[in-house]
Amino acid sequence: MARSPFTLAAAVTAALSGAEVVGARTLTTDGDGRFDSAVVTLTDGRELAIRVGDDDETARELAAESLALRALTAGARAMLPFRAPEYIGETRLSDGRALVTELLPGFQIEAGHVPAGRGAAESMGASIAAVHALPASVVRSAGLTARTAEEAREEIRQLVDRAAATGRVPARLTVRWREAVEDDELWRFESAVTLGGVQATSFLFDDDSELGPQVIGVVHWHGLSLGDPAVDLAWLSSATDAAGDVHAAYAHASNRTPDGALALRARLLAELEFARWLVHGDAMHREDIMDDAAALLEALAEGLRENDLSVIAQRSDGVDSALDALGRVPETAATRIHTAMETDAYNPEDLMPGEDDEVSEADATGSDRPEGDANVGEPTADLSEVTRSGLLQPGDAEPVDEPVDRAGSDPSDADPADEAQRAARAALQRWTSSSSE
Protein backbone atom coordinates (compact mmCIF):
# COMPACT_ATOMS: atom_id res chain seq x y z
CA MET A 1 0.00 0.00 0.00
CA ALA A 2 0.96 3.69 0.20
CA ARG A 3 1.79 4.13 -3.47
CA SER A 4 2.51 7.66 -4.67
CA PRO A 5 0.14 9.56 -6.98
CA PHE A 6 2.87 9.35 -9.64
CA THR A 7 2.79 5.54 -9.50
CA LEU A 8 -0.98 5.52 -9.71
CA ALA A 9 -0.85 7.91 -12.67
CA ALA A 10 1.21 5.31 -14.50
CA ALA A 11 -1.51 2.73 -13.94
CA VAL A 12 -4.07 5.03 -15.57
CA THR A 13 -2.19 4.82 -18.86
CA ALA A 14 -2.59 1.04 -18.71
CA ALA A 15 -6.30 1.20 -17.86
CA LEU A 16 -7.10 3.85 -20.49
CA SER A 17 -5.40 3.30 -23.81
CA GLY A 18 -3.89 6.45 -25.25
CA ALA A 19 -4.24 8.47 -22.06
CA GLU A 20 -1.76 11.31 -21.67
CA VAL A 21 -1.33 12.33 -18.06
CA VAL A 22 -0.16 15.83 -17.16
CA GLY A 23 -0.76 15.90 -13.41
CA ALA A 24 -1.42 13.80 -10.33
CA ARG A 25 -2.34 14.51 -6.75
CA THR A 26 -3.66 12.78 -3.66
CA LEU A 27 -7.39 12.13 -3.53
CA THR A 28 -8.41 14.11 -0.47
CA THR A 29 -11.72 13.09 1.07
CA ASP A 30 -12.90 10.81 3.84
CA GLY A 31 -10.02 8.33 3.56
CA ASP A 32 -10.27 5.14 5.55
CA GLY A 33 -6.88 3.69 4.74
CA ARG A 34 -8.23 0.77 2.73
CA PHE A 35 -7.23 2.01 -0.73
CA ASP A 36 -4.34 3.73 -2.42
CA SER A 37 -5.97 6.47 -4.47
CA ALA A 38 -5.16 9.55 -6.50
CA VAL A 39 -6.58 12.15 -8.87
CA VAL A 40 -5.02 12.14 -12.34
CA THR A 41 -5.34 15.03 -14.81
CA LEU A 42 -5.30 14.31 -18.55
CA THR A 43 -4.22 16.61 -21.37
CA ASP A 44 -7.86 17.21 -22.34
CA GLY A 45 -8.57 18.57 -18.87
CA ARG A 46 -10.48 15.56 -17.58
CA GLU A 47 -9.81 14.44 -14.02
CA LEU A 48 -9.98 10.76 -13.15
CA ALA A 49 -9.95 8.95 -9.81
CA ILE A 50 -7.92 5.76 -9.44
CA ARG A 51 -8.18 3.39 -6.49
CA VAL A 52 -6.15 0.26 -5.82
CA GLY A 53 -7.18 -2.59 -3.52
CA ASP A 54 -4.56 -5.10 -2.42
CA ASP A 55 -6.58 -7.53 -0.29
CA ASP A 56 -9.61 -9.71 -1.02
CA GLU A 57 -12.12 -7.36 0.58
CA THR A 58 -11.04 -4.22 -1.27
CA ALA A 59 -10.64 -6.14 -4.53
CA ARG A 60 -14.20 -7.41 -4.23
CA GLU A 61 -15.45 -3.90 -3.51
CA LEU A 62 -13.73 -2.51 -6.59
CA ALA A 63 -15.06 -5.39 -8.70
CA ALA A 64 -18.57 -4.64 -7.44
CA GLU A 65 -18.13 -0.93 -8.12
CA SER A 66 -16.97 -1.72 -11.65
CA LEU A 67 -20.03 -3.89 -12.32
CA ALA A 68 -22.41 -1.36 -10.82
CA LEU A 69 -21.12 1.62 -12.79
CA ARG A 70 -21.30 -0.34 -16.02
CA ALA A 71 -24.84 -1.46 -15.15
CA LEU A 72 -25.88 2.20 -15.12
CA THR A 73 -26.68 2.54 -18.80
CA ALA A 74 -27.31 5.89 -20.46
CA GLY A 75 -31.03 5.30 -20.01
CA ALA A 76 -30.67 4.57 -16.30
CA ARG A 77 -28.44 7.59 -15.76
CA ALA A 78 -30.98 9.80 -17.52
CA MET A 79 -33.51 8.84 -14.83
CA LEU A 80 -31.30 10.18 -12.04
CA PRO A 81 -31.35 13.86 -11.00
CA PHE A 82 -27.62 13.71 -10.26
CA ARG A 83 -24.45 12.29 -11.81
CA ALA A 84 -22.84 8.94 -11.09
CA PRO A 85 -19.15 8.41 -11.95
CA GLU A 86 -18.42 7.00 -15.39
CA TYR A 87 -16.48 3.75 -15.54
CA ILE A 88 -13.15 4.36 -17.32
CA GLY A 89 -11.16 1.15 -17.04
CA GLU A 90 -9.30 -1.38 -14.91
CA THR A 91 -5.84 -2.85 -14.65
CA ARG A 92 -3.49 -4.52 -12.19
CA LEU A 93 -0.87 -2.75 -10.16
CA SER A 94 1.52 -5.26 -8.67
CA ASP A 95 -0.83 -7.68 -6.84
CA GLY A 96 -3.61 -5.12 -6.53
CA ARG A 97 -6.74 -4.41 -8.53
CA ALA A 98 -6.94 -0.86 -9.91
CA LEU A 99 -10.19 0.83 -10.91
CA VAL A 100 -10.27 4.13 -12.80
CA THR A 101 -13.45 6.23 -12.78
CA GLU A 102 -14.52 9.75 -13.61
CA LEU A 103 -13.92 12.23 -10.77
CA LEU A 104 -17.07 14.11 -9.82
CA PRO A 105 -16.99 17.64 -8.38
CA GLY A 106 -18.80 18.68 -5.23
CA PHE A 107 -18.48 18.83 -1.46
CA GLN A 108 -19.64 16.37 1.19
CA ILE A 109 -21.53 16.81 4.47
CA GLU A 110 -21.19 14.49 7.46
CA ALA A 111 -24.46 13.02 8.70
CA GLY A 112 -24.49 14.92 11.97
CA HIS A 113 -24.00 18.22 10.13
CA VAL A 114 -26.82 17.86 7.61
CA PRO A 115 -29.21 20.70 8.46
CA ALA A 116 -32.97 20.40 8.62
CA GLY A 117 -35.28 22.08 6.15
CA ARG A 118 -34.95 22.82 2.47
CA GLY A 119 -31.61 22.26 0.85
CA ALA A 120 -29.39 19.31 1.61
CA ALA A 121 -31.91 17.19 3.53
CA GLU A 122 -34.67 17.48 0.96
CA SER A 123 -32.27 16.95 -1.92
CA MET A 124 -30.85 13.81 -0.28
CA GLY A 125 -34.31 12.34 0.26
CA ALA A 126 -35.30 12.99 -3.34
CA SER A 127 -32.01 11.51 -4.59
CA ILE A 128 -32.50 8.28 -2.63
CA ALA A 129 -36.04 8.03 -3.99
CA ALA A 130 -34.67 8.41 -7.53
CA VAL A 131 -32.29 5.49 -7.03
CA HIS A 132 -35.11 3.36 -5.63
CA ALA A 133 -37.23 4.23 -8.70
CA LEU A 134 -34.73 2.69 -11.14
CA PRO A 135 -36.08 -0.39 -12.93
CA ALA A 136 -35.13 -3.75 -11.44
CA SER A 137 -33.63 -4.69 -14.81
CA VAL A 138 -30.66 -2.42 -14.02
CA VAL A 139 -29.65 -4.89 -11.32
CA ARG A 140 -30.89 -8.14 -12.84
CA SER A 141 -29.30 -7.64 -16.26
CA ALA A 142 -25.90 -7.08 -14.64
CA GLY A 143 -26.16 -10.22 -12.49
CA LEU A 144 -26.07 -8.22 -9.28
CA THR A 145 -27.60 -9.38 -6.01
CA ALA A 146 -31.40 -9.43 -5.84
CA ARG A 147 -33.29 -10.14 -2.60
CA THR A 148 -36.99 -10.47 -1.96
CA ALA A 149 -38.50 -9.13 1.26
CA GLU A 150 -38.49 -12.63 2.72
CA GLU A 151 -34.84 -13.18 1.76
CA ALA A 152 -33.87 -9.87 3.35
CA ARG A 153 -35.78 -10.91 6.47
CA GLU A 154 -34.02 -14.29 6.56
CA GLU A 155 -30.64 -12.60 6.24
CA ILE A 156 -31.42 -10.46 9.29
CA ARG A 157 -32.66 -13.52 11.18
CA GLN A 158 -29.37 -15.30 10.53
CA LEU A 159 -27.38 -12.22 11.60
CA VAL A 160 -29.30 -12.01 14.89
CA ASP A 161 -28.77 -15.73 15.52
CA ARG A 162 -25.05 -15.53 14.77
CA ALA A 163 -24.62 -12.52 17.03
CA ALA A 164 -26.61 -14.16 19.84
CA ALA A 165 -24.52 -17.35 19.52
CA THR A 166 -21.42 -15.42 20.59
CA GLY A 167 -22.96 -14.95 24.03
CA ARG A 168 -22.03 -11.26 23.95
CA VAL A 169 -25.40 -9.69 23.04
CA PRO A 170 -27.55 -8.44 25.95
CA ALA A 171 -30.69 -10.56 26.26
CA ARG A 172 -33.01 -7.58 25.89
CA LEU A 173 -31.49 -6.76 22.50
CA THR A 174 -31.74 -10.35 21.31
CA VAL A 175 -35.41 -10.43 22.31
CA ARG A 176 -36.04 -7.04 20.72
CA TRP A 177 -34.43 -8.02 17.41
CA ARG A 178 -36.08 -11.43 17.25
CA GLU A 179 -39.49 -9.90 17.88
CA ALA A 180 -38.82 -7.48 15.05
CA VAL A 181 -37.80 -10.31 12.71
CA GLU A 182 -41.00 -12.20 13.53
CA ASP A 183 -43.23 -9.16 12.96
CA ASP A 184 -44.80 -9.94 9.57
CA GLU A 185 -46.02 -6.36 9.10
CA LEU A 186 -42.47 -5.06 9.29
CA TRP A 187 -41.36 -7.10 6.29
CA ARG A 188 -44.15 -6.37 3.84
CA PHE A 189 -42.27 -4.20 1.40
CA GLU A 190 -41.54 -4.10 -2.30
CA SER A 191 -37.88 -4.69 -3.17
CA ALA A 192 -36.18 -1.72 -4.80
CA VAL A 193 -32.92 -0.90 -6.51
CA THR A 194 -30.71 0.34 -3.66
CA LEU A 195 -27.17 1.49 -3.10
CA GLY A 196 -26.89 -1.25 -0.50
CA GLY A 197 -26.18 1.05 2.42
CA VAL A 198 -25.75 4.68 1.39
CA GLN A 199 -23.91 7.04 3.75
CA ALA A 200 -24.17 10.81 4.06
CA THR A 201 -20.72 11.07 2.46
CA SER A 202 -22.01 9.25 -0.62
CA PHE A 203 -23.64 12.53 -1.72
CA LEU A 204 -21.77 15.34 -3.46
CA PHE A 205 -23.27 18.83 -3.22
CA ASP A 206 -23.14 22.18 -4.93
CA ASP A 207 -24.58 25.37 -3.47
CA ASP A 208 -27.70 26.83 -5.03
CA SER A 209 -28.29 30.47 -4.15
CA GLU A 210 -32.03 29.92 -3.81
CA LEU A 211 -32.46 26.28 -2.78
CA GLY A 212 -29.34 25.75 -0.67
CA PRO A 213 -27.01 22.73 -1.08
CA GLN A 214 -28.24 20.38 -3.81
CA VAL A 215 -27.05 16.86 -4.60
CA ILE A 216 -25.19 16.89 -7.91
CA GLY A 217 -23.45 13.53 -7.66
CA VAL A 218 -23.52 10.22 -5.83
CA VAL A 219 -20.51 7.96 -5.27
CA HIS A 220 -19.97 4.56 -3.60
CA TRP A 221 -22.03 2.32 -5.90
CA HIS A 222 -20.39 -0.98 -4.95
CA GLY A 223 -23.47 -2.14 -3.01
CA LEU A 224 -25.90 -1.67 -5.92
CA SER A 225 -28.50 -4.40 -5.55
CA LEU A 226 -32.20 -5.18 -5.36
CA GLY A 227 -33.53 -5.40 -1.83
CA ASP A 228 -34.84 -3.54 1.20
CA PRO A 229 -35.02 0.23 0.57
CA ALA A 230 -34.51 0.77 4.31
CA VAL A 231 -30.80 -0.01 3.94
CA ASP A 232 -30.30 3.39 2.28
CA LEU A 233 -31.99 5.22 5.16
CA ALA A 234 -30.30 3.54 8.12
CA TRP A 235 -27.65 6.29 8.24
CA LEU A 236 -30.34 8.74 9.38
CA SER A 237 -29.94 7.40 12.93
CA SER A 238 -26.99 9.79 13.18
CA ALA A 239 -28.61 12.71 11.34
CA THR A 240 -30.92 13.94 14.09
CA ASP A 241 -31.70 17.36 12.66
CA ALA A 242 -32.28 16.22 9.09
CA ALA A 243 -33.89 12.78 9.50
CA GLY A 244 -37.49 13.95 9.43
CA ASP A 245 -37.00 16.12 6.36
CA VAL A 246 -35.07 13.43 4.49
CA HIS A 247 -37.87 10.94 5.17
CA ALA A 248 -40.52 13.47 4.15
CA ALA A 249 -38.72 14.39 0.93
CA TYR A 250 -38.20 10.72 0.16
CA ALA A 251 -41.90 9.96 0.63
CA HIS A 252 -42.91 12.98 -1.47
CA ALA A 253 -40.59 12.04 -4.36
CA SER A 254 -41.23 8.31 -4.25
CA ASN A 255 -43.56 6.67 -6.75
CA ARG A 256 -43.59 3.42 -4.81
CA THR A 257 -46.31 1.89 -2.65
CA PRO A 258 -46.19 3.62 0.77
CA ASP A 259 -44.16 1.63 3.31
CA GLY A 260 -45.30 2.49 6.82
CA ALA A 261 -42.55 0.39 8.41
CA LEU A 262 -39.68 1.91 6.40
CA ALA A 263 -38.34 4.12 9.20
CA LEU A 264 -38.64 1.30 11.75
CA ARG A 265 -36.66 -1.13 9.59
CA ALA A 266 -34.06 1.57 8.99
CA ARG A 267 -33.70 1.98 12.75
CA LEU A 268 -33.41 -1.79 13.19
CA LEU A 269 -30.70 -2.01 10.52
CA ALA A 270 -28.77 0.80 12.22
CA GLU A 271 -28.84 -1.10 15.51
CA LEU A 272 -27.71 -4.28 13.79
CA GLU A 273 -24.50 -2.64 12.59
CA PHE A 274 -23.20 -3.27 16.11
CA ALA A 275 -24.15 -6.93 15.71
CA ARG A 276 -22.37 -7.07 12.34
CA TRP A 277 -19.22 -5.74 13.99
CA LEU A 278 -19.48 -8.39 16.72
CA VAL A 279 -19.96 -11.18 14.18
CA HIS A 280 -17.01 -9.87 12.18
CA GLY A 281 -14.80 -10.00 15.26
CA ASP A 282 -15.96 -13.52 16.00
CA ALA A 283 -15.23 -14.67 12.44
CA MET A 284 -11.76 -13.10 12.59
CA HIS A 285 -11.09 -14.54 16.07
CA ARG A 286 -10.39 -11.01 17.28
CA GLU A 287 -11.24 -10.69 20.96
CA ASP A 288 -10.45 -6.96 20.91
CA ILE A 289 -13.06 -6.31 18.23
CA MET A 290 -15.59 -8.47 20.03
CA ASP A 291 -14.95 -6.64 23.30
CA ASP A 292 -15.56 -3.28 21.65
CA ALA A 293 -18.71 -4.48 19.90
CA ALA A 294 -19.99 -6.00 23.13
CA ALA A 295 -19.39 -2.70 24.96
CA LEU A 296 -21.38 -0.83 22.32
CA LEU A 297 -24.20 -3.35 22.55
CA GLU A 298 -24.30 -3.07 26.34
CA ALA A 299 -24.46 0.71 26.05
CA LEU A 300 -27.27 0.44 23.51
CA ALA A 301 -29.24 -1.91 25.76
CA GLU A 302 -28.80 0.40 28.75
CA GLY A 303 -30.12 3.34 26.73
CA LEU A 304 -33.44 1.67 25.95
CA ARG A 305 -36.52 2.02 28.12
CA GLU A 306 -37.42 -0.93 30.35
CA ASN A 307 -40.74 -1.44 28.58
CA ASP A 308 -39.53 -1.11 25.05
CA LEU A 309 -38.21 -4.56 24.10
CA SER A 310 -41.00 -5.14 21.59
CA VAL A 311 -41.45 -1.56 20.47
CA ILE A 312 -40.64 -2.25 16.83
CA ALA A 313 -43.23 -5.02 16.57
CA GLN A 314 -45.87 -3.07 18.53
CA ARG A 315 -45.51 0.23 16.60
CA SER A 316 -45.43 2.26 19.81
CA ASP A 317 -44.05 5.76 20.16
CA GLY A 318 -40.47 4.76 19.40
CA VAL A 319 -37.30 4.05 21.31
CA ASP A 320 -35.21 6.22 23.56
CA SER A 321 -31.87 7.36 22.29
CA ALA A 322 -28.84 5.41 23.43
CA LEU A 323 -26.77 8.58 23.26
CA ASP A 324 -26.09 8.95 26.95
CA ALA A 325 -24.66 5.47 27.24
CA LEU A 326 -22.81 5.52 23.92
CA GLY A 327 -21.19 8.83 24.82
CA ARG A 328 -19.08 6.96 27.38
CA VAL A 329 -17.15 5.18 24.62
CA PRO A 330 -13.68 6.81 24.33
CA GLU A 331 -13.22 9.34 21.56
CA THR A 332 -10.81 8.05 18.88
CA ALA A 333 -10.10 8.57 15.20
CA ALA A 334 -12.89 7.13 13.10
CA THR A 335 -12.68 4.54 10.35
CA ARG A 336 -15.77 3.67 8.34
CA ILE A 337 -17.05 0.15 8.93
CA HIS A 338 -18.17 -1.47 5.71
CA THR A 339 -21.54 -3.15 6.13
CA ALA A 340 -23.06 -2.81 2.68
CA MET A 341 -24.52 -5.79 0.84
CA GLU A 342 -22.06 -7.31 -1.60
CA THR A 343 -22.65 -8.56 -5.11
CA ASP A 344 -22.21 -12.30 -5.30
CA ALA A 345 -22.99 -13.39 -8.84
CA TYR A 346 -19.61 -13.00 -10.47
CA ASN A 347 -15.96 -13.92 -10.19
CA PRO A 348 -13.84 -10.76 -9.77
CA GLU A 349 -10.92 -12.38 -11.57
CA ASP A 350 -13.04 -12.79 -14.71
CA LEU A 351 -13.39 -9.01 -14.95
CA MET A 352 -9.69 -8.19 -14.81
CA PRO A 353 -7.28 -7.63 -17.70
CA GLY A 354 -4.69 -10.27 -18.39
CA GLU A 355 -1.26 -10.45 -16.86
CA ASP A 356 0.20 -8.68 -19.90
CA ASP A 357 -1.48 -5.49 -18.71
CA GLU A 358 0.21 -5.52 -15.30
CA VAL A 359 2.01 -2.39 -14.19
CA SER A 360 4.80 -2.69 -11.62
CA GLU A 361 4.60 -0.84 -8.29
CA ALA A 362 7.02 1.98 -7.55
CA ASP A 363 9.01 2.06 -4.35
CA ALA A 364 7.41 5.26 -3.15
CA THR A 365 5.11 6.51 -0.43
CA GLY A 366 1.63 7.89 -0.87
CA SER A 367 -1.76 8.49 0.64
CA ASP A 368 -5.04 6.67 0.25
CA ARG A 369 -8.50 8.08 -0.11
CA PRO A 370 -11.81 6.76 -1.51
CA GLU A 371 -13.52 8.57 -4.32
CA GLY A 372 -15.26 11.89 -3.86
CA ASP A 373 -14.44 15.56 -4.10
CA ALA A 374 -10.69 15.77 -4.62
CA ASN A 375 -10.47 19.51 -5.06
CA VAL A 376 -9.55 20.42 -1.49
CA GLY A 377 -6.15 21.91 -0.87
CA GLU A 378 -3.92 19.30 -2.52
CA PRO A 379 -1.49 20.54 -5.19
CA THR A 380 -1.34 18.69 -8.48
CA ALA A 381 2.10 17.41 -9.42
CA ASP A 382 2.91 18.67 -12.92
CA LEU A 383 3.77 15.71 -15.15
CA SER A 384 3.59 17.57 -18.45
CA GLU A 385 7.36 17.27 -19.00
CA VAL A 386 7.36 13.54 -18.39
CA THR A 387 7.13 11.31 -21.46
CA ARG A 388 4.40 8.74 -21.77
CA SER A 389 7.00 6.01 -21.84
CA GLY A 390 8.39 7.40 -18.63
CA LEU A 391 4.99 7.14 -17.00
CA LEU A 392 4.98 3.45 -17.73
CA GLN A 393 8.18 3.09 -15.74
CA PRO A 394 7.11 4.41 -12.33
CA GLY A 395 9.97 2.69 -10.61
CA ASP A 396 12.37 5.10 -12.33
CA ALA A 397 10.51 8.22 -11.27
CA GLU A 398 11.13 10.56 -8.38
CA PRO A 399 8.36 10.28 -5.78
CA VAL A 400 5.92 13.15 -5.43
CA ASP A 401 6.12 15.12 -2.19
CA GLU A 402 2.83 14.74 -0.36
CA PRO A 403 1.37 15.19 3.11
CA VAL A 404 1.15 12.42 5.66
CA ASP A 405 -1.98 10.32 5.22
CA ARG A 406 -4.22 11.02 8.20
CA ALA A 407 -5.63 7.50 7.98
CA GLY A 408 -2.21 5.86 8.16
CA SER A 409 -0.20 4.56 5.22
CA ASP A 410 0.02 0.92 6.28
CA PRO A 411 -2.85 -0.65 8.21
CA SER A 412 -0.68 -3.65 9.02
CA ASP A 413 1.47 -1.46 11.27
CA ALA A 414 -1.49 -0.30 13.34
CA ASP A 415 -1.99 -1.44 16.89
CA PRO A 416 -4.95 -3.93 16.99
CA ALA A 417 -6.50 -2.16 19.95
CA ASP A 418 -6.32 1.18 18.12
CA GLU A 419 -7.88 -0.40 15.05
CA ALA A 420 -10.74 -1.78 17.11
CA GLN A 421 -11.28 1.56 18.81
CA ARG A 422 -11.38 3.32 15.43
CA ALA A 423 -13.95 0.84 14.19
CA ALA A 424 -16.00 1.18 17.35
CA ARG A 425 -15.95 4.95 17.02
CA ALA A 426 -17.10 4.64 13.41
CA ALA A 427 -20.10 2.62 14.53
CA LEU A 428 -20.71 5.10 17.32
CA GLN A 429 -20.76 8.00 14.87
CA ARG A 430 -23.82 6.51 13.24
CA TRP A 431 -25.60 6.88 16.56
CA THR A 432 -24.32 10.36 17.47
CA SER A 433 -27.28 12.67 17.97
CA SER A 434 -29.72 9.77 17.43
CA SER A 435 -33.33 10.40 18.49
CA SER A 436 -36.47 8.36 18.95
CA GLU A 437 -38.37 7.35 15.83
Side-chain angles (χ1 to χ4, degrees), residues 45-98:
R46 282 189 297 165
E47 289 194 319
L48 307 179
I50 178 170
R51 289 177 294 158
V52 181
D54 286 310
D55 55 37
D56 291 343
E57 179 184 358
T58 54
R60 283 194 299 269
E61 184 170 319
L62 292 181
E65 182 93 355
S66 168
L67 267 181
L69 294 181
R70 285 181 287 168
L72 293 175
T73 62
R77 290 171 183 267
M79 297 178 65
L80 300 173
F82 52 78
R83 293 175 60 192
E86 292 283 354
Y87 168 87
I88 302 299
E90 297 171 79
T91 188
R92 291 185 183 275
L93 189 58
S94 186
D95 293 329
R97 182 190 192 101

Side-chain angles (χ1 to χ4, degrees), residues 10-286:
V12 170
T13 65
L16 180 60
S17 178
E20 296 185 23
V21 178
V22 297
R25 67 179 185 274
T26 301
L27 183 57
T28 56
T29 50
D30 52 321
D32 61 5
R34 298 186 306 132
F35 298 98
D36 282 345
S37 26
V39 178
V40 175
T41 305
L42 305 184
T43 53
D44 61 7
R46 282 189 297 165
E47 289 194 319
L48 307 179
I50 178 170
R51 289 177 294 158
V52 181
D54 286 310
D55 55 37
D56 291 343
E57 179 184 358
T58 54
R60 283 194 299 269
E61 184 170 319
L62 292 181
E65 182 93 355
S66 168
L67 267 181
L69 294 181
R70 285 181 287 168
L72 293 175
T73 62
R77 290 171 183 267
M79 297 178 65
L80 300 173
F82 52 78
R83 293 175 60 192
E86 292 283 354
Y87 168 87
I88 302 299
E90 297 171 79
T91 188
R92 291 185 183 275
L93 189 58
S94 186
D95 293 329
R97 182 190 192 101
L99 174 64
V100 181
T101 63
E102 174 190 20
L103 180 73
L104 297 183
F107 62 89
Q108 297 167 309
I109 306 176
E110 293 288 340
H113 297 154
V114 179
R118 63 184 303 187
E122 292 183 350
S123 184
M124 293 168 98
S127 296
I128 296 172
V131 174
H132 293 180
L134 288 172
S137 59
V138 170
V139 167
R140 296 190 187 280
S141 62
L144 298 172
T145 299
R147 293 178 177 84
T148 65
E150 189 54 40
E151 288 170 338
R153 181 186 194 177
E154 180 59 29
E155 185 178 83
I156 296 302
R157 179 183 284 112
Q158 292 179 12
L159 172 61
V160 172
D161 289 345
R162 289 181 62 190
T166 66
R168 306 294 297 273
V169 180
R172 65 187 313 188
L173 288 180
T174 300
V175 171
R176 170 185 173 80
W177 294 339
R178 283 179 170 161
E179 287 181 343
V181 169
E182 298 308 319
D183 179 3
D184 292 338
E185 293 298 320
L186 198 63
W187 302 97
R188 289 177 179 162
F189 64 84
E190 177 188 357
S191 292
V193 174
T194 76
L195 289 166
V198 69
Q199 298 297 322
T201 51
S202 299
F203 300 94
L204 301 174
F205 295 89
D206 189 23
D207 277 322
D208 185 290
S209 58
E210 295 183 358
L211 301 177
Q214 297 294 298
V215 175
I216 60 170
V218 172
V219 295
H220 307 155
W221 289 81
H222 55 269
L224 186 67
S225 55
L226 192 65
D228 187 353
V231 301
D232 287 341
L233 295 163
W235 65 276
L236 289 172
S237 62
S238 57
T240 306
D241 294 339
D245 290 313
V246 173
H247 275 294
Y250 174 87
H252 179 74
S254 179
N255 59 4
R256 297 166 49 78
T257 302
D259 181 357
L262 181 67
L264 292 171
R265 286 200 316 280
R267 172 71 184 227
L268 172 66
L269 294 175
E271 292 182 18
L272 288 171
E273 293 216 3
F274 297 109
R276 291 185 190 278
W277 187 230
L278 177 67
V279 168
H280 172 72
D282 184 47
M284 298 295 292
H285 304 291
R286 290 282 301 274

